[in-house]
């Protein structure tokens, strides 16, 4: 006895789609234009359940076709989605599962509680379940964790001004790096760019202020951002021309590796790791800092040093106010909160002294 499995994922909301596929298959059989893909094919045991490798693979392909090109790039899919789906396929290939909750809990417990990896795994798997219109087990939500609760109390870790100066000194002393590499790091520092935004960047000067024009667009599951203009906001003590940044960019350009790389941030972080291993000129550079820590420092200069509102800073950085607040809220609120508490304490002391 032979059998064929419909491509439509099972579920109550896909019944009409499955019926249409079945009717189309019936019509082709009646017309004599359909044949078995494999004359020796027999029903595969793993295809007998809803949580079978074949069913899940078709769901993954369906989600890929819907997301890639519309909400995420292909390289984002390969780096941020596919690894988690491969874990899922491995689990259901090694063992037969009938209970969604037990399967999902087993997968998620591979990663530490409150870790970013577990949160991403939860969100990617839930997107797949949503694609199939399958209910998501409520207890599994608790396993996702709370990144804010697990975050460091002081908030994001960014480069300090002294650490920026130390990094510049190590780049200038390095035998492997070039003036073009220093230009790239200075652009990240002064404009708070995502590393990928170095590609296609345009730099000009208006009324004595350096202006960067970001031409690269960003698509993700959380939204997208388009071209924007960013005025230079250098660290304290830097000259207004940011050490002749415009002239250096015109003379040296940017490293070819950054311009051609599908992931400039990864390459820059690897470069940073080598620089961190160098002997210090004046101070050490902590190992937990990455290339994104320059973007964090830029955000704090906007909010703490310049006093811009969350909406204004988010617009310059190319993301939503909600994303800006969730990332930098602790660091932005800390000075105001400390000042408020100090003022209230002084008022209480003054009242008690009367």
């Amino acid at each position: 006895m032979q059998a064929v499995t419909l491509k439509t994922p099972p579920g109550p909301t896909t019944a009409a789609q499955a019926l249409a596929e079945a009717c189309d298959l019936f019509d082709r059989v009646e017309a004599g234009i359909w044949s078995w893909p494999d004359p020796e094919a027999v029903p595969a045991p793993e295809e007998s359940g809803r949580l079978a490798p074949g069913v899940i693979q078709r769901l993954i392909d369906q989600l890929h076709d819907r997301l890639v090109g519309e909400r995420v790039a292909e390289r984002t899919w390969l780096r941020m989605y596919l690894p988690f789906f491969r874990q899922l396929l491995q689990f259901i290939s090694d063992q037969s599962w009938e209970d969604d909750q037990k399967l999902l809990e087993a997968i998620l417990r591979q990663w530490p509680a409150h870790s970013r990896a577990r949160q991403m795994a939860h969100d990617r798997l839930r997107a797949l379940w949503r694609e199939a219109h399958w209910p998501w087990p409520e207890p599994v939500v608790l396993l996702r964790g709370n990144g804010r609760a697990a975050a460091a109390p002081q908030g994001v870790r960014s480069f300090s001004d002294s650490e920026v100066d130390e990094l510049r000194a190590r780049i200038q002393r390095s035998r492997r790096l070039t003036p073009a590499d220093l230009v790239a790091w200075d652009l990240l520092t002064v404009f708070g760019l995502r590393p990928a935004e170095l590609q296609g960047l345009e730099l000009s000067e208006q009324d004595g202020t350096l202006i960067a024009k970001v031409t690269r667009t960003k698509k993700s599951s959380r939204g997208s951002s388009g071209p924007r203009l960013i005025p230079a906001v250098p660290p304290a003590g830097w000259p207004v021309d940011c050490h002749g940044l415009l002239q250096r960019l015109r003379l040296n350009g940017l490293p070819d590796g950054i311009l051609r790389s599908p992931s400039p941030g990864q390459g820059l972080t690897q470069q940073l790791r080598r620089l961190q291993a160098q002997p210090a000129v004046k101070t050490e550079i902590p190992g937990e800092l990455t290339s994104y820590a320059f973007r964090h420092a830029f955000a704090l200069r906007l909010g703490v040093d310049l006093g811009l509102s969350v909406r204004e800073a988010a617009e310059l950085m190319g993301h939503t106010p909600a994303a800006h607040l969730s990332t930098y809220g602790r660091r932005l609120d800390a000075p105001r909160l400390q000042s408020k508490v100090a003022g209230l304490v002084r008022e209480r002391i003054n009242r008690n002294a009367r």
Side-chain angles (χ1 to χ4, degrees):
M1 184 179 195
Q2 290 181 299
V4 63
T5 301
L6 299 180
K7 295 181 179 179
T8 304
T13 60
T14 58
Q17 182 180 351
L19 179 60
E21 183 183 350
C23 290
D24 178 67
L25 176 62
F26 177 81
D27 291 341
R28 284 186 287 144
V29 171
E30 287 291 299
I33 59 175
W34 185 85
S35 60
W36 291 98
D38 180 1
E40 303 298 325
V42 295
E46 69 270 14
E47 290 290 316
S48 61
R50 180 171 61 86
L51 299 176
V55 175
I56 296 299
Q57 183 61 63
R58 285 191 290 273
L59 274 175
I60 294 171
D61 295 340
Q62 182 176 313
L63 183 63
H64 171 274
D65 294 342
R66 187 171 64 81
L67 291 184
V68 174
E70 294 294 331
R71 299 182 64 182
V72 301
E74 179 68 30
R75 62 177 178 272
T76 303
W77 171 269
L78 295 175
R79 291 174 52 240
M80 309 300 288
Y81 285 78
L82 194 55
F84 299 107
F85 295 150
R86 284 174 176 163
Q87 290 275 13
L88 172 62
L89 287 170
Q90 184 64 49
F91 262 72
I92 59 179
S93 296
D94 293 343
Q95 178 182 340
S96 178
W97 300 84
E98 298 295 334
D99 188 293
D100 294 43
Q101 180 177 331
K102 291 180 179 179
L103 167 63
L104 294 168
E105 288 179 346
I107 294 176
L108 293 178
R109 286 198 170 99
Q110 294 180 102
W111 296 281
H114 297 297
S115 67
R116 175 63 176 156
R118 181 186 282 192
Q119 292 178 348
M120 291 180 64
H122 174 280
D123 294 347
R124 300 304 184 248
L125 294 174
R126 189 167 190 173
L128 196 65
W129 256 243
R130 191 179 297 114
E131 187 71 19
H133 302 283
W134 295 340
W136 186 255
E138 193 64 30
V140 176
V141 177
L142 300 178
L143 286 179
R144 182 184 188 274
N146 189 324
R148 295 187 191 180
Q154 68 272 21
V156 295
R157 176 68 167 90
S158 65
F159 269 90
S160 66
D161 291 350
S162 62
E163 290 164 348
V164 171
D165 292 338
E166 174 69 24
L167 184 72
R168 296 190 83 250
R170 295 191 192 190
I171 293 173
Q172 291 170 320
R173 193 175 60 177
S174 171
R175 295 181 179 180
R176 298 181 59 178
L177 302 184
T178 67
D181 292 297
L182 182 59
V183 169
W185 286 105
D186 283 351
L187 288 170
L188 295 184
T189 300
V190 171
F191 298 105
L193 304 172
R194 301 179 179 95
E197 291 173 340
L198 290 169
Q199 298 172 332
L201 186 74
E202 299 175 8
L203 192 61
S204 62
E205 186 176 353
Q206 298 178 17
D207 300 326
T209 299
L210 292 180
I211 303 292
K213 180 180 180 181
V214 174
T215 62
R216 185 182 178 90
T217 59
K218 176 180 181 291
K219 290 184 178 181
S220 73
S221 57
R222 299 178 64 182
S224 62
S225 62
R228 67 188 192 279
L229 297 176
I230 315 170
V233 185
W238 278 39
V240 68
D241 67 349
C242 301
H243 302 292
L245 184 55
L246 178 58
Q247 291 73 25
R248 288 189 290 125
L249 176 61
R250 290 172 177 172
L251 177 64
N252 303 303
L254 288 169
D256 290 338
I258 288 178
L259 299 179
R260 292 184 283 103
S261 174
S263 180
Q266 184 176 5
L268 286 170
T269 296
Q270 292 172 352
Q271 193 178 97
L272 177 59
R273 292 290 174 258
R274 293 193 294 270
L275 290 167
Q276 287 168 325
Q278 288 186 4
V281 178
K282 292 184 178 180
T283 185
E284 294 293 336
I285 302 177
E288 71 268 18
L289 291 172
T290 69
S291 57
Y292 248 76
F294 286 95
R295 183 167 168 83
H296 298 333
F298 181 82
L300 297 177
R301 285 199 294 273
L302 294 179
V304 178
D305 297 348
L306 302 186
L308 295 186
S309 68
V310 169
R311 182 193 62 77
E312 293 168 332
E315 182 175 339
L316 289 177
M317 297 190 68
H319 54 216
T320 65
H324 190 86
L325 193 59
S326 66
T327 304
Y328 304 110
R330 291 189 179 191
R331 293 290 300 273
L332 296 176
D333 288 343
R336 178 185 59 80
L337 181 60
Q338 292 168 3
S339 177
K340 180 178 180 180
V341 170
L344 293 173
V345 170
R346 286 193 297 270
E347 290 180 8
R348 187 183 65 179
I349 293 174
N350 292 335
R351 284 198 304 270
N352 293 339
R354 291 171 187 169

